[in-house]
Amino acid sequence: MIGNVANASPCADMAPALLCLGAHAVISSTSGSRIVPFNEFFTGVKRNVMRPDEILEEIVVPADMADAVATTPS
């Protein structure tokens, strides 16, 4: 899962869910870590904000989204 997300692959099934849930990417390198919201992470097809020396270490979904329920229009 995280590989397709990290590569900004169009077939990344989790990407839309991460965007809708307000998730954040924890991006790390030898110089430290930074947190980027997924609505800023993707910059195009197979393009993202990560620098060549960085990896996507963790995906964080806000705890307040744990009780989120999808609704259908009436």
Side-chain angles (χ1 to χ4, degrees):
M1 173 191 88
I2 201 167
N4 283 340
V5 172
N7 291 321
S9 174
C11 66
D13 294 346
M14 290 303 299
L18 294 171
L19 289 166
C20 291
L21 292 171
H24 293 79
V26 178
I27 301 170
S28 299
S29 71
T30 56
S31 59
S33 297
R34 61 188 177 118
I35 298 173
V36 177
F38 270 99
N39 65 345
E40 297 174 13
F41 180 82
F42 301 110
T43 59
V45 175
K46 298 211 174 241
R47 300 173 71 85
N48 61 46
V49 299
M50 291 194 308
R51 296 184 291 264
D53 66 331
E54 294 179 317
I55 62 167
L56 177 56
E57 180 178 344
E58 186 177 2
I59 295 173
V60 178
V61 177
D64 62 336
M65 295 306 290
D67 291 326
V69 177
T71 59
T72 56
S74 39

